[in-house]
Amino acid sequence: MNWLITGGAGFIGSNFVAYILKKHEDINIINLDKLTYAGNIKHLESVMNNPRHTFVEGDICDAELVDRLFDIYQFTTVIHFAAESHVDNSINNPQTFIQTNVLGTFNLLEAARKSWMKGIGIYKEGYQSARFIHISTDEVYGSLGEKGLFNENSSYAPNSPYSASKASADLIVRSYYHTYKLNVITTNCSNNYGPMQHEEKLIPTIIRKALALESIPIYGDGKNVRDWIYVIDHCRAIEMVFFKGRVGETYLIGGHNEKTNLEIAHEICDILNCYIPVQKNDKEITNYKQLITFVKDRPGHDFRYAIDDSKLRNEVGFVMKNSFSEGLKKTVLHYLKQNTSYIL
Ligand code: NAD
């Protein structure tokens, strides 16, 4: 079985590639990634010598390349992670978000449709169970107030160019089911944390700034709430949706773990204070928490996201494995081990 994974050199994609290769010996992965600033070939060190993994450096917006890969490898599965994913960048440079997240997704859907189907709802021989999983975000639903949860029936209300581009892609994916009966499923997940996340994101930034004894920037008053899930739990949920999910459906994936950004910063500082107590320094810092600094909020910053994942649990039987305190400790230790100056 040949699976096309897009964006497999990024944070979630690289965790997913390693997870699937280890767990399923009958799956070959062709990993298509453009290696933008967010992708890193080093994330794939553990799988680069695996004969069931083939890395292709390329752009999902390159329709010729994507078609050629479908011809050569005759994929029966697409798991589509590739995206521009950082909200702050989407405010400064929205164009690449529309290009990759919208047009790139469209390209992949077209390639799958042409490769798998000979008419509306009619699959070519050998492709009857071919399936396309589109990985999306809970940010497409906009912002919640103090109470309430997103579910699969929540209205789309994206507030940033990032979430708008992901919402657009979700709708195109939906249309390929309703129009062509292409076997698609969309997953909308909350904030991920874990190894291999780009240093620009909240948790790696807090760790990096703390270790450098620099200000830890927290937007606004730090009270924005996100629901956090350990990346491997997200990978397990995608795997379960692939094997057990219903065609044409969407599934929300969450961590049952709402935290304010300030709470996240405090918890990371607690772990660091325990493993790498602050050394004597001329800034007179004795606890990493002293570095927390509130900075001007970003425009369109959603107040709160939270997920009702009962459909995922009831239909595919998903059960979370990593508690937040365990997952966060593993994550902090991962980043500490990457930094050779810290001997643990
Ligand atoms: P990431 O930014 O770490 O990785 C994205 C990967 O896509 C990178 O390796 C990059 O090189 C690649 N890429 C970008 N443009 C490409 C293109 N045009 N062609 C081929 N490859 C390209 O992102 P991530 O955090 O791993 O997120 C993966 C997916 O999951 C995204 O679709 C994102 O919207 C979604 N998601 C992420 C989170 C999260 O908390 N990180 C939560 C929910 C959903």
Side-chain angles (χ1 to χ4, degrees):
M1 271 191 293
N2 287 345
W3 284 26
L4 173 64
I5 309 284
T6 70
F11 166 43
I12 306 172
S14 59
N15 277 288
F16 186 78
V17 166
Y19 172 80
I20 290 293
L21 286 173
K22 194 166 173 197
K23 181 125 181 248
H24 299 276
E25 291 192 344
D26 56 340
I27 293 173
N28 303 310
I29 288 179
I30 288 67
N31 183 353
L32 173 62
D33 195 297
K34 190 179 173 184
L35 294 181
T36 66
Y37 80 97
N40 190 339
I41 204 77
K42 281 194 186 150
H43 292 164
L44 296 166
E45 254 165 13
S46 71
V47 297
M48 268 313 192
N49 293 327
N50 188 323
R52 290 184 292 114
H53 175 254
T54 305
F55 184 75
V56 179
E57 184 174 345
D59 191 335
I60 59 167
C61 300
D62 180 347
E64 249 182 68
L65 169 68
V66 171
D67 285 344
R68 202 163 62 242
L69 292 176
F70 269 84
D71 279 349
I72 297 171
Y73 294 105
Q74 307 197 328
F75 304 120
T76 49
T77 298
V78 178
I79 314 278
H80 172 37
F81 293 94
E84 287 292 336
S85 71
H86 192 41
V87 178
D88 290 5
N89 293 344
S90 84
I91 295 167
N92 300 325
N93 182 17
Q95 191 169 2
T96 53
F97 285 71
I98 306 303
Q99 187 72 29
T100 286
N101 300 0
V102 184
L103 295 176
T105 302
F106 165 71
N107 255 344
L108 292 164
L109 287 164
E110 263 301 272
R113 182 179 73 81
K114 287 187 289 186
S115 171
W116 297 347
M117 307 187 78
K118 51 187 177 190
I120 292 182
I122 308 168
Y123 278 80
K124 295 180 189 167
E125 191 59 35
Y127 292 96
Q128 287 87 348
S129 53
R131 176 161 267 192
F132 187 117
I133 308 282
H134 169 58
I135 307 304
S136 190
T137 165
D138 61 353
E139 300 190 31
V140 296
Y141 297 113
S143 186
L144 290 166
E146 301 274 354
K147 291 208 170 103
L149 301 169
F150 296 131
N151 66 32
E152 288 76 6
N153 298 319
S154 300
S155 305
Y156 271 39
N159 289 322
S160 71
Y162 164 64
S163 53
S165 68
K166 293 297 290 187
S168 309
D170 293 8
L171 297 183
I172 299 170
V173 171
R174 177 190 151 88
S175 78
Y176 269 64
Y177 171 65
H178 286 278
T179 303
Y180 305 110
K181 297 284 175 268
L182 189 73
N183 187 337
V184 294
I185 296 181
T186 294
T187 60
N188 297 85
C189 188
S190 60
N191 277 38
N192 284 224
Y193 67 97
M196 267 115 63
Q197 190 163 28
H198 193 274
E199 64 169 25
E200 69 191 353
K201 300 285 172 74
L202 180 70
I203 288 179
T205 297
I206 295 171
I207 298 169
R208 180 169 40 88
K209 293 287 188 181
L211 291 175
L213 293 187
E214 289 172 8
S215 300
I216 298 172
I218 298 292
Y219 279 132
D221 57 7
K223 293 202 175 128
N224 297 64
V225 176
R226 299 291 179 264
D227 172 34
W228 291 90
I229 184 169
Y230 191 61
V231 64
I232 295 299
D233 279 324
H234 183 193
C235 294
R236 290 177 44 249
I238 296 167
E239 176 196 28
M240 294 184 83
V241 164
F242 172 77
F243 285 109
K244 297 185 180 167
R246 282 185 298 135
V247 57
E249 293 291 319
T250 63
Y251 292 87
L252 263 59
I253 303 171
H256 288 269
N257 181 51
E258 286 185 49
K259 298 273 177 192
T260 65
N261 290 346
L262 190 56
E263 283 169 335
I264 295 282
H266 276 268
E267 291 190 36
I268 291 172
C269 290
D270 283 336
I271 298 172
L272 290 174
N273 282 328
C274 169
Y275 282 94
I276 311 272
V278 182
Q279 303 289 306
K280 202 164 186 297
N281 59 85
D282 52 16
K283 294 179 182 167
E284 295 185 3
I285 304 289
T286 54
N287 181 323
Y288 293 105
K289 289 181 189 172
Q290 290 167 257
L291 296 165
I292 294 172
T293 311
F294 296 105
V295 298
K296 190 172 179 295
D297 211 348
R298 73 174 175 222
H301 196 176
D302 293 331
F303 170 62
R304 175 173 165 261
Y305 309 131
I307 299 275
D308 170 2
D309 70 346
S310 43
K311 180 173 174 186
L312 181 77
R313 284 185 284 112
N314 296 337
E315 284 194 15
V316 308
F318 178 70
V319 179
M320 193 84 55
K321 280 199 177 155
N322 290 276
S323 73
F324 184 67
S325 58
E326 281 162 8
L328 191 63
K329 200 152 104 185
K330 277 193 250 181
T331 305
V332 173
L333 292 179
H334 165 84
Y335 290 107
L336 285 177
K337 276 186 188 135
Q338 274 194 329
N339 190 327
T340 46
S341 55
Y342 296 100
I343 296 156
L344 296 169

